[in-house]
Amino acid sequence: MYGVTARAVPALLAPTARAMSWLPFLAAAGFGLVIVAVPAAMTVVLSDEDLIRLLRLAGLCGAVGVAFLLDDPAARVIATVPTPRVVRHAVRAAVALVAAALWWVAVVAITVAGADKEVAAHLPVWDASLEAVAFASAALALAAARSRGSGAGAGVVAAPAVLVLALLLSRLPERLAMLVAPGDPRSDAAHDRWAALLALAIAGLLWAGHEPVSARRFRGQGFRTSRRADPR
Amino acid sequence: MTTSVIERPEAATAAQAANSRGAMLALARVEARRLLRHPVTIAGLLLFLGPMVYQWVSGGANRFPVLHDEDWSKQFIGLLTLGGAALVAANLAALRAHRHGTAAQYGVLVLPHAWRTGAFLLAVVPFAGIVALLVVVRIGLLALLPSAAGRPNPAELAVYPAVVLLLGALGVLLARVLRTAVLAPLVLLGIVVFTFIGVLGSVPGSRYLAWLMPVSVEEPLMPYPIDMMERPAGRHLAYLAGLIVVLVAAALAVTGARGRRLTLAGAAGLAVAVLAGSAQYLPVSDAVKKASLDAVERPAGMQTCRTIDQVTYCAFDDFAPWIDGWDTVVRGVLRGVPEQEARKPLAVRQRVSTDDNRSNGFVSGPEDRAKVAEVWKRVDDAAGTPNAVTVGTRWGEGEDEAGFAGRVAFEVVARKGPGVDGVICGTRGVLVGWLAGQATPLAAEGLREIDASSTGGVWFFDRSFNTFISVSDREMAVAKALLKRPAAEVAETVKRSWAELSAAGTPTERAGELFGVPVPPQEPEGERSVCME
């Protein structure tokens, strides 16, 4: 059984990538690139604080786009295939994260290339990348949680939810602040919290990837009517 | 064979129009309820209100609000939480039929597409009403505080519900133009990016962008008296109103509504938006210019003075309720001073600065500061309150009280007048540090905050001005040791040895001997700060 599953992964990659709805992601990723590319192309000199702010906004764009990559209108139809949902989900999430990672490398490269040399040398790009990965993983986890039961409408819920999450982080009291400026003495503690958020998001993603209903409950029940797919 | 007669749509009678209106209102009622119950709306309201409520409950809220600053300063967070919620929730609602694949079924309904769009637009109105109510209640509660300064501007308050209506209408329009749910979050992020670019001084033309966004976060250097307010609040509100009409007309037009009234409304909205939008950039009026000049050069004419015992306080009229707050701190400082010193007349004057040097990192040269000091001296002499201690237009935080207490203490110790800056050395430094720290509990807290966030010493300055006096770490170490002891016990020694302690040039070691406190060794030559004489 597991051997079959392991062999299914490479076979799944290309069709999954083809079946994913890329348009929302491309729109969001394109907008994220514009956010960092326009100031980089202009002659204005931005401080590290401004650049980090732009990187965060670009990272949020990426998270919004990634949230739509788990949308699968066929999820309920293929619930009966032998490959478990967690594997199908992992393949999808992996493709999404690889695409997002490539895009993020481009975003950071443009930012660093467009920044003042002095500022670019001290720009905390790894911290910003941790924040972006945490946002993207949170978006994926929210989308995966939403798509339990049915595959449609995951991004519709996860995209606003990740914005709400970002707003929540921006409104935290001082001592729990997470969106701190570069060079802030609280930066290290803040990024410990970011790492915790990332771990939480990955745990959530793994949990949400499992088949929502155990195989035993299906037996003798016939086909369960799915929950209302209405995210409003 | 049967023949069915299909009525032509043009034959719609007035009765049918009335039916449509009724159906639209019924749909709007249902949608309004769903919008208010939407998780994004609830999250937005909680995120807007939560931190404010938390601050009040935890006692961290500023009890000295400036009402004409509070009215607009929460607009940006309101845009993000409330406006963002309206944008996303209205967009999702208008896209619901498409997302569920039922758009085609709606074709059989009697209510035309445009009327249904109208219902989605109307559904935002109750949410905007709730936001208006919240904003009015919030500012009303702040205004009820006995120490609230100034008065709120209704046009600034109306921006909150206007932004909700604007973004709600934008959400519906986006849903009607492009059927994808990814757009609304991205548009919200785009608005944030442009609002932020609007306040970047380094971007050419950014000031024009700032006021074209739903809210402008352009911040004055400090809260000013109302007569000096430069924000084009009324014109900006008119601009938003024009935009709302344009968006509503556009959303109706793309769903098939036609007619002269719609065209006229759209054209009128556009005209108002363009006219009011450009009127925002009219130069500042002469009255405001004159008030700004007067506030710096001749503030006495704009101020109310009140004498409590021997201390005269002069505040800008809008800020007069703060005098009692200042008096508490002054009394606190004078408590540790010998009777004959405390009874000498003292003056406190509120001042503002219009020299905006934020763009070059708050840097100012000694000659700039000397010029400011000269103006202050002239003002005080002309008003008959020589050597008035400066107090700014921010009050209520620990750092404000500590800074003010330090300046009052220095004036009582040295009697040098306002505008002096430099490092206070020797026993004078110890005295100023101790007097400031024991003045009020909030000043003590503020002193600890300043001490924790600064290196080399403690700076007693108002956040709005560049003049400062500071006490080095060595003197602060003695002062902090004294602050740990009962204030009455220290005060007794201070009063007994006042002449010696307050004299310039008495070395810090002398304070150590008098109080029995160890004095840290002096920094090596070269790293020592230059003392003021």
Side-chain angles (χ1 to χ4, degrees):
Chain A
M1 171 77 193
Y2 286 104
V4 175
T5 303
R7 257 180 287 140
V9 170
L12 271 175
L13 276 174
T16 305
R18 245 198 331 274
M20 285 158 80
S21 46
W22 288 100
L23 201 63
F25 174 75
L26 290 178
F31 185 58
L33 278 178
V34 169
I35 289 177
V36 292
V38 171
M42 280 162 68
T43 51
V44 293
V45 177
L46 294 180
S47 69
D48 51 352
E49 198 180 343
D50 296 335
L51 287 171
I52 287 294
R53 215 174 282 175
L54 289 180
L55 274 178
R56 277 182 186 142
L57 286 166
L60 265 179
C61 284
V64 165
V66 160
F68 285 85
L69 285 181
L70 288 196
D71 275 3
D72 184 4
R76 278 175 56 196
V77 182
I78 58 171
T80 53
V81 299
T83 315
R85 181 171 183 266
V86 67
V87 175
R88 284 182 276 123
H89 242 265
V91 169
R92 240 171 207 269
V95 172
L97 282 176
V98 166
L102 289 175
W103 165 80
W104 181 251
V105 169
V107 166
V108 171
I110 291 172
T111 306
V112 171
D116 186 59
K117 274 204 180 59
E118 195 121 316
V119 175
H122 295 105
L123 204 62
V125 283
W126 289 109
D127 284 351
S129 303
L130 173 63
E131 292 170 15
V133 173
F135 269 138
S137 306
L140 278 179
L142 288 164
R146 171 67 213 173
S147 64
R148 285 164 70 80
S150 87
V156 163
V157 173
V162 79
L163 289 191
V164 169
L165 174 72
L167 267 176
L168 181 71
L169 297 188
S170 76
R171 305 227 70 192
L172 286 176
E174 285 275 306
R175 62 200 153 80
L176 296 176
M178 284 177 76
L179 298 170
V180 293
D184 191 294
R186 298 167 299 174
S187 181
D188 285 342
H191 286 94
D192 288 348
R193 288 192 278 275
W194 276 104
L197 179 67
L198 175 61
L200 199 70
I202 290 174
L205 187 58
L206 290 176
W207 167 79
H210 277 283
E211 204 76 54
V213 186
S214 71
R216 201 177 300 155
R217 271 189 57 197
F218 262 119
R219 223 172 286 148
Q221 271 192 357
F223 202 75
R224 193 181 66 117
T225 47
S226 91
R227 280 178 300 158
R228 203 163 55 109
D230 168 28
R232 242 177 277 156
Chain B
M1 191 176 160
T2 51
T3 314
S4 61
V5 180
I6 299 169
E7 250 184 80
R8 293 166 64 89
E10 294 92 71
T13 60
Q16 272 174 319
N19 279 344
S20 293
R21 190 167 301 127
M24 177 179 78
L25 290 177
L27 181 58
R29 266 197 295 277
V30 172
E31 287 297 338
R33 262 201 299 277
R34 293 193 75 157
L35 183 75
L36 288 176
R37 280 197 336 237
H38 196 285
V40 170
T41 312
I42 294 168
L45 283 168
L46 287 179
L47 284 172
F48 181 67
L49 292 175
M52 295 176 199
V53 174
Y54 171 78
Q55 269 200 328
W56 274 105
V57 173
S58 68
N62 189 344
R63 310 258 154 193
F64 295 84
V66 182
L67 296 179
H68 53 276
D69 189 62
E70 290 288 341
D71 57 2
W72 66 266
S73 58
K74 296 285 181 290
Q75 279 173 358
F76 184 60
I77 194 68
L79 166 89
L80 292 180
T81 54
L82 307 170
L87 174 68
V88 170
N91 184 258
L92 287 180
L95 280 174
R96 196 186 303 121
H98 167 72
R99 285 187 288 123
H100 294 180
T102 54
Q105 273 94 317
Y106 283 105
V108 300
L109 289 183
V110 187
L111 195 64
H113 198 24
W115 289 83
R116 289 204 303 278
T117 304
F120 283 112
L121 291 166
L122 278 178
V124 186
V125 175
F127 183 31
I130 288 177
V131 168
L133 191 70
L134 282 178
V135 169
V136 168
V137 167
R138 173 179 172 265
I139 208 82
L141 288 176
L142 287 178
L144 282 179
L145 288 173
S147 46
R151 57 175 190 276
N153 185 344
E156 296 281 15
L157 294 180
V159 164
Y160 295 82
V163 162
V164 168
L165 286 177
L166 180 77
L167 293 194
L170 182 62
V172 175
L173 175 65
L174 289 176
R176 290 295 178 251
V177 176
L178 277 171
R179 287 178 180 167
T180 165
V182 74
L183 205 56
L186 292 183
V187 166
L188 184 62
L189 286 173
I191 292 174
V192 175
V193 171
F194 282 114
T195 308
F196 159 63
I197 292 176
V199 289
L200 278 183
S202 52
V203 178
S206 62
R207 196 178 178 263
Y208 292 96
L209 188 65
W211 287 100
L212 291 181
M213 288 290 105
V215 304
S216 164
V217 284
E218 199 178 58
E219 203 175 352
L221 184 61
M222 63 183 88
Y224 286 123
I226 293 176
D227 295 342
M228 288 172 70
M229 292 293 280
E230 288 180 11
R231 289 174 61 89
R235 285 163 281 167
H236 188 66
L237 184 64
Y239 166 69
L240 290 185
L243 280 189
I244 293 170
V245 174
V246 170
L247 288 186
V248 166
L252 292 174
V254 293
T255 45
R258 294 289 178 273
R260 195 183 300 158
R261 268 189 295 179
L262 186 70
T263 317
L264 275 179
L270 191 65
V272 169
V274 170
L275 285 177
S278 25
Q280 298 180 100
Y281 305 109
L282 288 176
V284 177
S285 76
D286 287 342
V288 171
K289 267 190 208 150
K290 185 176 177 301
S292 301
L293 197 66
D294 283 355
V296 175
E297 307 260 326
R298 292 174 289 279
M302 299 165 77
Q303 291 185 324
T304 311
C305 292
R306 208 167 99 204
T307 307
I308 305 177
D309 291 343
Q310 77 293 13
V311 189
T312 307
Y313 299 92
C314 295
F316 286 102
D317 294 343
D318 300 322
F319 295 84
W322 286 3
I323 288 178
D324 289 328
W326 300 336
D327 189 53
T328 313
V329 174
V330 171
R331 295 293 147 208
V333 172
L334 294 182
R335 212 172 33 228
V337 171
E339 191 93 348
Q340 76 275 11
E341 280 296 322
R343 259 197 254 126
K344 284 187 189 164
L346 187 69
V348 171
R349 184 175 296 281
Q350 192 177 32
R351 303 182 209 268
V352 290
S353 160
T354 47
D355 296 332
D356 196 346
N357 53 6
R358 278 176 292 187
S359 51
N360 52 16
F362 292 99
V363 180
S364 65
E367 57 281 355
D368 295 331
R369 295 203 289 268
K371 217 185 291 168
V372 169
E374 198 184 306
V375 172
W376 287 0
K377 199 168 159 38
R378 208 174 55 228
V379 166
D380 290 341
D381 289 344
T385 55
N387 293 353
V389 180
T390 299
V391 65
T393 51
R394 292 192 185 98
W395 189 251
E397 305 281 340
E399 290 185 21
D400 303 324
E401 289 209 358
F404 179 58
R407 289 194 303 275
V408 171
F410 181 64
E411 176 60 27
V412 172
V413 169
R415 304 280 175 189
K416 274 183 182 260
V420 282
D421 56 6
V423 184
I424 316 166
C425 293
T427 49
R428 274 187 169 183
V430 177
L431 213 47
V432 168
W434 177 74
L435 283 173
Q438 58 86 51
T440 62
L442 197 56
E445 195 184 302
L447 193 64
R448 276 195 296 275
E449 278 168 33
I450 301 174
D451 191 32
S453 64
S454 59
T455 50
V458 164
W459 305 51
F460 296 102
F461 67 113
D462 189 286
R463 281 178 278 172
S464 318
F465 302 102
N466 291 305
T467 55
F468 63 88
I469 48 176
S470 72
V471 175
S472 327
D473 278 338
R474 189 161 175 261
E475 281 74 29
M476 261 330 277
V478 181
K480 278 191 277 186
L482 295 184
L483 283 171
K484 287 198 189 104
R485 296 189 186 170
E489 183 194 309
V490 180
E492 209 174 298
T493 319
V494 165
K495 285 174 186 174
R496 205 162 355 103
S497 325
W498 179 263
E500 191 181 359
L501 287 171
S502 66
T506 313
T508 314
E509 285 77 6
R510 181 68 191 126
E513 282 166 27
L514 274 174
F515 295 102
V517 176
V519 181
Q522 209 157 26
E523 293 93 343
E525 199 79 48
E527 283 174 36
R528 238 174 271 170
S529 31
V530 183
C531 305
M532 71 167 102
E533 67 283 355

